[in-house]
Amino acid sequence: ALPVSPDIFNCTEATETRNGIPINCCPPSAAGYNDYTPSASEVYTRMPAHAVSHDYVKKYSSAITKMKNLSMSDPRNFYQQANVHCVYCDEGYPQLGFPDKKLEIHSSWLFFPWHRWYLYFFERICKNLLDDDTFTLPFWQWDDSSGMQIPSMFNDSKLSLYDCIRNPKHLPPKVVDLAYNGTDLPIDPNIQIQYNCCTMYTQMITQSSTPECFFGQPLLGGNDPDPGAGSIENIPHNCVHDWVGDPSQPNNEDMGVLYAAGRDPIFYAHHANVDRMWYIYDNVLKCKNIEDPDWLNSSFIFFNEAARPVRVTVKDSTNLAKLGYTYPDLPLSWLDCKP
Ligand code: C2O
């Protein structure tokens, strides 16, 4: 078998459509790319979105404003960044060496490392535009009762962190349903918090007994998409997407559909917490990562903070110290929520 790699020189329209109209999310074209290995000298800590200072919110909001104001021909432009998600998730790229096989990184063992790299470059673009190396992305701490609603920074229509295309019934103080299946449960918010706690235990512990259960099933070069999602990708990751999206839109935009999810700034905070679950899996639960070389050698191409395309590997995503960020060690109340 061969590890997976995208063929960025043959990008095509996405497989999803909006009202029957095809979506093209190919990035500005690149003449080539360089290999990139991270080697940070400092490590900065990402913080929970509901607990950051007013100054931090202003700063993050100004980074997103700057990204939105970049020209559409600049791959660091906010909508181009959202399209990076679209192109890797909606089969815009063929697989390198397999022109008739499309690449889709969801529902496979590429889910965690791909999104880690995606946020890594998104964060570096923010640092660069803010001219502040200490800046880190916030995470939406939906696994703790203190963070189980849309963080207020994303619900202020005066900030660039706002997106109006969300389910109006799920705005604060509504408590998120981490196992949401499209129906709002008519229950007390405190019961919902208890359910969420059990959901976290089930997904992080019960359903994550092997690396493949946690990360997802192998996707090898030449394979068809969708070998199977890992525990956290299924629940709560997919459920939180669906819960935020607006069901009155044709495809539950923005958060509830792959091509548009990255247009909602809350996406990056949601995924920082998904990424934090990987950190917890490694560092708190002391569970093992996948060791298969086909996983470790799979690679992706992103535009960096200098708008240049770089190729990165899964193996370089596993050491957070090298990536220059970490997560705080917060209490995990769900560890006591064995159903
Ligand atoms: Cu790429 Cu949350 O999905």
Side-chain angles (χ1 to χ4, degrees):
L2 277 174
V4 167
S5 189
D7 175 0
I8 62 161
F9 302 114
N10 286 292
C11 190
T12 59
E13 277 167 355
T15 44
E16 283 171 346
T17 58
R18 185 181 159 92
N19 291 332
I21 301 165
I23 296 155
N24 187 322
C25 42
C26 297
S29 59
Y33 53 81
N34 292 313
D35 285 328
Y36 172 75
T37 309
S39 60
S41 49
E42 300 279 344
V43 173
Y44 300 103
T45 306
R46 292 182 179 170
M47 294 306 284
H50 67 277
V52 293
S53 69
H54 182 67
D55 283 351
Y56 174 91
V57 173
K58 276 201 337 216
K59 189 167 219 175
Y60 187 31
S61 177
S62 84
I64 300 295
T65 302
K66 286 171 194 250
M67 286 173 87
K68 289 182 174 173
N69 289 341
L70 291 171
S71 126
M72 272 303 275
S73 62
D74 188 324
R76 302 168 305 168
N77 170 284
F78 183 79
Y79 299 98
Q80 290 291 1
Q81 285 293 302
N83 277 350
V84 171
H85 190 252
C86 172
V87 78
Y88 271 98
C89 307
D90 258 328
E91 309 187 4
Y93 292 139
Q95 296 181 32
L96 195 64
F98 303 94
D100 50 0
K101 293 289 179 186
K102 293 290 192 176
L103 176 56
E104 141 70 317
I105 56 80
H106 292 96
S107 201
S108 83
W109 68 5
L110 300 179
F111 172 79
F112 276 106
W114 185 88
H115 288 87
R116 176 167 283 180
W117 277 122
Y118 178 41
L119 261 63
Y120 173 84
F121 288 108
F122 188 89
E123 184 171 75
R124 287 174 71 96
I125 293 167
C126 291
K127 287 176 192 276
N128 180 278
L129 294 174
L130 292 169
D131 197 15
D132 179 359
D133 279 344
T134 70
F135 177 81
T136 52
L137 294 176
F139 59 87
W140 177 6
Q141 196 189 358
W142 33 246
D143 59 306
D144 189 80
S145 59
S146 63
M148 286 184 190
Q149 45 177 276
I150 290 182
S152 58
M153 68 164 82
F154 299 107
N155 194 40
D156 179 345
S157 61
K158 291 185 291 301
L159 298 178
S160 62
L161 303 171
Y162 182 72
D163 183 9
C164 61
I165 313 179
R166 293 180 188 146
N167 189 332
K169 289 198 196 129
H170 293 167
L171 303 179
K174 181 78 176 178
V175 173
V176 65
D177 176 0
L178 294 180
Y180 183 64
N181 69 0
T183 313
D184 287 307
L185 302 174
I187 56 168
D188 183 86
N190 290 311
I191 310 270
Q192 182 66 66
I193 289 170
Q194 280 314 306
Y195 283 178
N196 288 343
C197 195
C198 295
T199 297
M200 287 310 306
Y201 186 98
T202 304
Q203 299 310 109
M204 285 296 287
I205 314 279
T206 321
Q207 301 289 333
S208 295
S209 54
T210 68
E212 279 184 9
C213 293
F214 180 74
F215 287 94
Q217 297 301 307
L219 181 73
L220 306 173
N223 286 175
D224 286 321
D226 193 13
S231 52
I232 292 295
E233 182 181 356
N234 272 328
I235 300 172
H237 162 263
N238 285 345
C239 301
V240 171
H241 272 284
D242 290 343
W243 185 84
V244 176
D246 182 353
S248 72
Q249 293 287 318
N251 310 295
N252 205 22
E253 281 88 350
D254 280 327
M255 274 283 276
V257 62
L258 292 168
Y259 86 84
R263 296 178 186 176
D264 187 335
I266 205 171
F267 175 99
Y268 306 90
H270 173 38
H271 268 278
N273 207 42
V274 171
D275 187 60
R276 183 172 152 260
M277 295 303 126
W278 183 7
Y279 167 86
I280 292 167
Y281 174 88
D282 283 347
N283 296 287
V284 180
L285 306 179
K286 311 273 185 213
C287 292
K288 279 186 139 181
N289 284 344
I290 286 169
E291 286 164 355
D292 190 324
D294 288 322
W295 186 70
L296 294 166
N297 292 321
S298 286
S299 62
F300 317 116
I301 295 169
F302 291 96
F303 285 92
N304 69 10
E305 66 280 8
R308 298 218 175 82
V310 290
R311 182 171 64 175
V312 294
T313 60
V314 168
K315 68 173 170 299
D316 285 332
S317 72
T318 60
N319 184 339
L320 283 192
K322 284 197 183 148
L323 296 171
Y325 75 90
T326 189
Y327 293 100
D329 284 314
L330 301 169
L332 301 172
S333 53
W334 47 262
L335 283 175
D336 300 322
C337 278
K338 191 167 179 176

Coordinates of all heavy atoms in Angstrom, one line a residue, residues 11 23 36 50 52 54 59 71 83 98 105 129-130 139 161 171 176 178 185 207 236 262 266 270 285 305 315:
C11 N -7.1 20.0 -9.5 CA -8.3 20.3 -8.7 C -9.5 20.4 -9.5 O -9.5 20.9 -10.6 CB -8.1 21.6 -7.9 SG -9.3 21.9 -6.6
I23 N -20.1 23.6 -6.7 CA -19.3 24.4 -5.9 C -17.8 24.2 -6.3 O -17.4 23.1 -6.3 CB -19.5 24.1 -4.4 CG1 -20.9 24.4 -4.0 CG2 -18.5 24.8 -3.5 CD1 -21.4 23.5 -2.8
Y36 N 7.8 20.7 4.4 CA 7.9 21.5 5.6 C 7.9 20.6 6.8 O 7.0 19.8 7.0 CB 6.7 22.5 5.7 CG 6.6 23.3 7.0 CD1 7.5 24.3 7.2 CD2 5.7 22.9 7.9 CE1 7.4 25.0 8.4 CE2 5.6 23.6 9.1 CZ 6.5 24.7 9.4 OH 6.4 25.4 10.6
H50 N -14.6 30.5 26.2 CA -15.5 31.2 27.1 C -14.8 31.8 28.3 O -15.4 32.5 29.1 CB -16.6 30.2 27.7 CG -16.0 29.1 28.6 ND1 -15.5 28.0 28.1 CD2 -16.0 29.1 29.9 CE1 -15.1 27.2 29.1 NE2 -15.3 27.9 30.3
V52 N -11.6 33.6 28.0 CA -10.6 34.6 27.6 C -11.0 36.0 27.9 O -12.1 36.3 28.1 CB -10.2 34.4 26.1 CG1 -9.5 33.1 25.8 CG2 -11.4 34.6 25.2
H54 N -11.4 40.2 27.4 CA -12.0 41.1 26.4 C -10.9 41.5 25.3 O -11.2 41.5 24.1 CB -12.5 42.3 27.1 CG -13.2 43.3 26.2 ND1 -14.4 43.0 25.6 CD2 -12.8 44.6 25.8 CE1 -14.7 44.1 24.8 NE2 -13.8 45.0 25.0
K59 N -8.6 41.0 19.8 CA -7.4 40.6 19.0 C -7.8 39.5 18.0 O -7.5 39.6 16.8 CB -6.3 40.1 19.9 CG -5.0 39.9 19.3 CD -4.0 39.7 20.4 CE -2.7 40.4 19.9 NZ -1.7 40.4 20.9
S71 N -7.2 40.0 -0.3 CA -7.8 39.8 -1.6 C -8.1 38.3 -1.8 O -7.5 37.4 -1.2 CB -6.8 40.2 -2.7 OG -6.6 39.2 -3.6
N83 N -12.4 27.4 2.0 CA -12.3 26.5 0.8 C -11.3 25.4 0.9 O -11.4 24.4 0.3 CB -12.0 27.4 -0.4 CG -13.3 28.0 -1.0 OD1 -14.4 27.7 -0.6 ND2 -13.1 28.9 -2.0
F98 N -3.2 8.3 -8.3 CA -4.5 7.6 -8.6 C -5.5 8.6 -9.2 O -6.4 9.0 -8.4 CB -5.1 6.9 -7.3 CG -4.1 6.0 -6.6 CD1 -3.3 6.4 -5.6 CD2 -4.0 4.6 -7.0 CE1 -2.4 5.5 -5.0 CE2 -3.1 3.8 -6.4 CZ -2.3 4.2 -5.4
I105 N -10.7 13.5 3.4 CA -10.0 13.1 4.6 C -10.9 12.8 5.8 O -10.5 12.3 6.8 CB -9.0 14.2 5.0 CG1 -9.6 15.6 5.2 CG2 -7.9 14.4 3.9 CD1 -10.3 15.8 6.4
L129 N -0.7 38.0 10.7 CA -1.4 39.2 10.4 C -1.5 40.1 11.6 O -1.6 41.3 11.5 CB -2.9 38.8 9.9 CG -2.9 38.1 8.6 CD1 -4.4 37.7 8.3 CD2 -2.4 39.0 7.4
L130 N -1.4 39.5 12.8 CA -1.4 40.3 14.0 C 0.0 40.7 14.4 O 0.2 41.5 15.3 CB -2.0 39.5 15.2 CG -3.5 39.1 15.1 CD1 -3.8 38.1 16.2 CD2 -4.3 40.3 15.3
F139 N -10.3 27.4 22.0 CA -11.0 26.2 21.8 C -12.4 26.3 22.5 O -12.5 27.0 23.5 CB -10.3 25.0 22.2 CG -9.8 24.9 23.7 CD1 -10.7 24.4 24.7 CD2 -8.6 25.3 24.0 CE1 -10.3 24.3 26.0 CE2 -8.2 25.2 25.4 CZ -9.0 24.7 26.3
L161 N -16.2 37.6 14.3 CA -16.3 36.2 14.7 C -17.7 35.6 14.6 O -18.0 34.5 14.8 CB -15.8 36.0 16.2 CG -14.4 36.5 16.4 CD1 -14.1 36.5 17.9 CD2 -13.4 35.6 15.7
L171 N -28.9 29.4 19.9 CA -28.0 30.5 20.4 C -28.0 30.4 21.9 O -28.9 29.9 22.5 CB -28.5 31.8 19.8 CG -28.6 31.9 18.3 CD1 -29.2 33.2 17.8 CD2 -27.3 31.6 17.6
V176 N -25.7 22.9 24.4 CA -25.4 22.0 23.2 C -25.8 20.6 23.5 O -25.7 20.1 24.7 CB -24.0 22.1 22.8 CG1 -23.0 21.5 23.8 CG2 -23.7 21.4 21.4
L178 N -24.5 17.2 22.6 CA -23.3 16.6 22.0 C -23.6 15.3 21.2 O -22.8 14.9 20.4 CB -22.2 16.2 23.0 CG -21.6 17.4 23.8 CD1 -20.5 16.9 24.8 CD2 -21.0 18.4 22.8
L185 N -34.2 17.8 22.1 CA -34.8 17.1 23.2 C -35.5 18.1 24.1 O -34.9 19.1 24.5 CB -33.7 16.3 24.0 CG -32.8 15.3 23.2 CD1 -31.7 14.8 24.2 CD2 -33.7 14.2 22.7
Q207 N -15.8 3.8 23.6 CA -15.7 3.7 22.1 C -14.3 3.8 21.6 O -14.1 3.8 20.4 CB -16.6 4.6 21.4 CG -18.1 4.5 21.8 CD -18.7 3.3 21.3 OE1 -18.3 2.7 20.2 NE2 -19.7 2.8 21.9
P236 N -18.8 13.6 19.5 CA -19.6 14.8 19.2 C -19.3 15.6 18.0 O -20.0 16.5 17.7 CB -19.5 15.6 20.5 CG -18.1 15.4 20.9 CD -17.7 14.0 20.6
G262 N -16.3 25.9 7.2 CA -15.1 26.8 7.5 C -15.5 28.2 7.4 O -14.7 29.1 7.7
I266 N -16.7 29.9 14.2 CA -16.7 29.0 15.3 C -16.1 27.6 14.9 O -15.7 26.9 15.8 CB -18.2 28.8 15.8 CG1 -18.2 28.4 17.3 CG2 -19.0 27.9 14.9 CD1 -19.6 28.4 17.9
H270 N -14.3 25.0 17.4 CA -14.9 23.6 17.5 C -13.7 22.6 17.3 O -13.5 21.7 18.0 CB -16.0 23.5 16.5 CG -16.5 22.1 16.4 ND1 -16.7 21.2 17.5 CD2 -17.0 21.4 15.3 CE1 -17.2 20.1 17.1 NE2 -17.3 20.1 15.8
L285 N -5.1 10.2 28.9 CA -5.5 8.8 28.9 C -4.3 7.9 28.6 O -4.4 6.7 28.8 CB -6.6 8.6 27.9 CG -7.9 9.5 28.1 CD1 -8.9 9.3 27.0 CD2 -8.5 9.3 29.5
E305 N 1.7 30.8 6.3 CA 1.5 32.2 6.6 C 2.1 33.2 5.6 O 1.8 34.4 5.6 CB 1.9 32.5 8.0 CG 3.4 32.4 8.3 CD 4.0 31.0 8.5 OE1 3.2 30.0 8.3 OE2 5.1 30.9 8.8
K315 N 3.2 12.2 10.3 CA 4.2 11.9 11.4 C 4.6 13.2 12.1 O 4.9 13.2 13.3 CB 5.3 11.0 11.0 CG 6.3 11.7 10.0 CD 7.5 10.7 9.9 CE 8.4 11.1 8.7 NZ 7.7 11.2 7.4

